Amino acid sequence: SSCSWRVAMPRSRSRSRSTGRRKERSPSPDDGEPMAWIQIGDLPPKSNWSCMRRLVTQAGGKILGGKVYPSHRPPCALARIGTEKEADLVAQKLNGSELSGRRISCRIIGDEDRRKIENS
């Protein structure tokens, strides 16, 4: 993995990926604040979702979903964050930070920008 920002975290002993019953997620957190999307740009080659999830979590965000777009120019990732407040915190912490020797960008994006990236 090219993600050089590592965190020692305890792992569950279960490695199952079963499709058992899962709670349905509500479209917004319990406090009623809407979810937000961030774009993490200028990613180093071979960046993956595991690395992005770890990056966002360490920056203080609760990640609800997203995807890495390695063939987008420049490579980027979209991440759905629990609240706009968390997204703002994550964007401030990650924008201009370094990942595997490359300075990355991070910003909150709207639905229109998100759809453009998803459809490109």
Side-chain angles (χ1 to χ4, degrees):
S1 168
S2 67
C3 182
S4 64
W5 203 18
R6 305 255 185 246
V7 181
M9 297 182 71
R11 286 192 169 184
S12 166
R13 293 181 69 75
S14 171
R15 302 299 281 163
S16 171
R17 291 184 178 239
S18 70
T19 57
R21 299 175 96 173
R22 293 175 62 179
K23 281 174 61 175
E24 289 294 318
R25 288 193 177 137
S26 60
S28 64
D30 293 337
D31 63 5
E33 188 179 345
M35 293 178 297
W37 287 86
I38 60 169
Q39 177 184 1
I40 305 168
D42 304 313
L43 296 175
K46 299 182 182 176
S47 294
N48 60 36
W49 182 245
S50 179
C51 181
M52 294 302 102
R53 188 174 50 238
R54 188 170 41 248
L55 195 66
V56 170
T57 302
Q58 279 204 323
K62 180 179 179 184
I63 198 160
L64 301 177
K67 186 175 178 182
V68 176
Y69 295 88
S71 57
H72 189 272
R73 294 294 168 231
C76 70
L78 298 181
R80 189 171 62 188
I81 307 296
T83 66
E84 288 185 30
K85 186 177 180 180
E86 283 178 10
D88 188 49
L89 174 73
V90 170
Q92 286 180 27
K93 286 187 176 182
L94 294 183
N95 192 39
S97 64
E98 207 169 275
L99 179 63
S100 299
R102 182 177 269 183
R103 189 169 302 277
I104 61 172
S105 63
C106 186
R107 65 185 182 103
I108 297 174
I109 60 170
D111 285 336
E112 188 176 324
D113 287 339
R114 177 179 56 86
R115 281 190 212 100
K116 283 180 187 174
I117 294 167
E118 289 176 340
N119 295 324
S120 63

